Amino acid sequence: MSDLAGIAISPRLPGGQAAASVDFTAEAVEARTADGATWRVPFTGLRLVRGGASGAMVFFHATGDDPIIAVEGLACLAAFDDASGRRFSDELTRLRGQGRGGRSCALGCLALLLVGVVALALTLPWLWRTARAGVIDRLPVSIDQQIGDAAWGEYAGKDASARFPVSAAAVRVLVERIAATIPRDDVAAGFTYQASIIDQDEANAFALPGGRMVVYTGLLRRATSVDQVAGVIGHEIAHVSRRHGLRSMVDQAGTMLVISAVAGDVGGMAGVLTQGATVALLSAHSRDHERDADAEGARLLAAAGLDPHGLIAFFRLLQAMPGSESPSALAWVSSHPQHGERIVALEALIPTLARAPAFAPAIDWAAVQAEVGPPKP
C-alpha cells in the first residue's frame, strides 16, 4: 500500500478532476478524494502514460467507465511495481527511459504566455475563451487521431462494411471526394478520412476526431438520393476538419487540461480525453458547432462538385419523420438546431458558394438500397 498525492480524473467529478490520495493494491490503483469517494483503475487493461508539465507525471488508466489516476514523479513507480507483483516491469522500464519529447520551443513559449492569460481569466473570461481556442488550434492532429481511435474501439466489433460492400463502396467514393477538397495547408488535411457501415436502423451518421466516420444502414434505407447521403457526409467531415469533437471535449474536461497540454503534456491530455470518449463525443456538439458544420459542409460539397442542396433535402426528410424534432428522436439531430432554422440558413448560404464543375459519383443508388433493404417497421 502507498499514500501518494495525486489526481483523480473523470467526467463524473466536478470540473473533471479532483485532488486525491493514491494507493496501489494487489489488483488496482485507487484514489480517495476529499469527499470520501474511492476511484479505482483495475490492473486488467491498465495503460501507463508519462507526461505532465514536468514530464514525470504518470497517468494510470484503463477503458470503459474507469477514471484516470495521475501521480506526479517517477518515484511512485517502485511502489506500483511492488504492489502489482512485477507484472508491469517491462512497461515501467520503458516509461522510466522515456524523455519529455514532443515539447517544442513554440509550445514552451506559449505555456509562459498562457500563465498570464490564466491570471486574467477570472476578470476577462472572453480572453480565456479566445486563448483556449488558439491552444486547440496548435495541438497536433495526433491527439484527434488518438481520441478517435479510442472511441472507435467501442464500434469496431459492429463494423458491417464487409456485409454491405456496395454501400461501403458508395460511401467511400463520397468521403474521398469531399475530403479531397480540404486545402493541403489546412491541419485537417492530415486526418485519415474513412467510413464504416453499421447495421442499425437509424437515420444516423457520426464522425470521430481524426477522420473516422460511421454511417448507419438506417440512413441509407431512408435517404431518397445520393445527394442526401453526400450532404450528411459533408456535414460530418466538417465536424472533423473544424475539430469540433476535440473542442467540445476540452470544454467539458476543463481548462486545466488545456494548460497541461500547452505545457507539454500532449500524451496525458489524449489519455484524459479518451476517458469516456464515445459518450462525450456523441453528445458533444453545440448548436454553434452544428451551424458551423452545416455551413462548412455545404462549402465542401460545392467545392467537390456535389449539390449542397442535398443537405437541405435531408433536413426536409427528417422534418417529415414523426417526432423528429424531439430531443430523443435521432442521435444525429439530438440537441441540434431545429430543421427549419437550418434549412433557412442553408438556402441563404448556398447561392453564395463557389461551385466546382458538377461531379456525378459512380454510385448505383438503387443497388445500395437493394442491398440494405427497406426500413424496418
Side-chain angles (χ1 to χ4, degrees):
M1 296 284 288
S2 304
D3 189 9
L4 302 167
I7 303 171
I9 305 167
S10 170
R12 290 173 286 168
L13 281 165
Q17 60 184 1
S21 175
V22 178
D23 290 330
F24 301 124
T25 73
E27 298 179 348
V29 180
E30 295 185 350
R32 295 188 308 278
T33 50
D35 61 1
T38 298
W39 302 82
R40 190 170 185 272
V41 179
F43 289 159
T44 303
L46 180 68
R47 290 176 288 171
L48 303 174
V49 175
R50 176 177 169 180
S54 66
M57 178 170 278
V58 181
F59 295 84
F60 302 87
H61 60 114
T63 58
D65 293 330
D66 296 321
I68 294 172
I69 297 174
V71 178
E72 180 65 48
L74 300 184
C76 71
L77 296 181
F80 169 73
D81 199 20
D82 289 340
S84 63
R86 315 291 180 189
R87 75 181 83 173
F88 296 96
S89 292
D90 290 345
E91 178 68 7
L92 296 185
T93 299
R94 179 194 65 78
L95 214 63
R96 287 188 178 102
Q98 202 175 67
R100 293 176 61 186
R103 185 177 183 181
S104 68
C105 177
L107 283 180
C109 293
L110 187 57
L112 294 176
L113 291 175
L114 191 57
V115 171
V117 175
V118 173
L120 294 174
L122 294 177
T123 55
L124 295 175
W126 64 268
L127 180 59
W128 170 244
R129 289 194 298 270
T130 302
R132 182 172 57 192
V135 168
I136 294 170
D137 289 337
R138 289 168 174 77
L139 292 175
V141 296
S142 59
I143 286 190
D144 303 67
Q145 205 82 49
Q146 198 168 340
I147 294 169
D149 288 347
W152 171 247
E154 301 201 21
Y155 289 89
K158 302 177 183 179
D159 188 349
S161 300
R163 288 172 42 211
F164 299 95
V166 175
S167 302
V171 169
R172 184 166 56 251
V173 167
L174 295 173
V175 169
E176 291 177 353
R177 179 72 184 185
I178 297 169
T181 66
I182 298 173
R184 290 183 180 275
D185 60 350
D186 190 318
V187 65
F191 296 139
T192 302
Y193 296 89
Q194 54 186 313
S196 298
I197 305 294
I198 287 184
D199 189 14
Q200 186 168 320
D201 197 43
E202 183 178 339
N204 193 6
F206 64 86
L208 301 171
R212 279 196 175 275
M213 278 170 276
V214 165
V215 174
Y216 289 145
T217 50
L219 171 61
L220 302 177
R221 290 178 181 126
R222 289 172 174 81
T224 59
S225 70
V226 172
D227 286 341
Q228 291 177 1
V229 176
V232 173
I233 290 174
H235 174 97
E236 294 303 330
I237 287 179
H239 275 313
V240 175
S241 68
R242 297 287 202 176
R243 307 182 84 179
H244 287 159
L246 179 62
R247 295 176 194 281
S248 295
M249 291 183 73
V250 168
D251 284 343
Q252 292 179 29
T255 54
M256 289 307 296
L257 193 61
V258 182
I259 297 172
S260 295
V262 175
D265 182 21
V266 170
M269 180 180 184
V272 174
L273 291 179
T274 55
Q275 169 66 23
T278 303
V279 174
L281 285 167
L282 294 184
S283 60
H285 298 315
S286 67
R287 287 177 176 255
D288 286 342
H289 285 173
E290 289 304 328
R291 294 184 184 100
D292 187 39
D294 286 348
E296 177 63 7
R299 189 195 67 76
L300 292 172
L301 290 164
L306 297 165
D307 188 355
H309 289 92
L311 186 54
I312 292 178
F314 179 69
F315 288 140
R316 294 197 188 283
L317 178 72
L318 292 182
Q319 275 186 318
M321 295 174 64
S324 66
E325 298 284 12
S326 68
S328 61
L330 296 168
W332 196 76
V333 294
S334 177
S335 76
H336 294 186
Q338 297 291 297
H339 307 322
E341 173 191 336
R342 302 171 83 170
I343 289 170
V344 169
L346 284 168
E347 286 178 334
L349 172 67
I350 289 174
T352 70
L353 297 174
R355 303 283 289 271
F359 169 75
I363 294 174
D364 185 339
W365 184 243
V368 170
Q369 294 208 297
E371 181 178 70
V372 297
K376 297 177 182 179

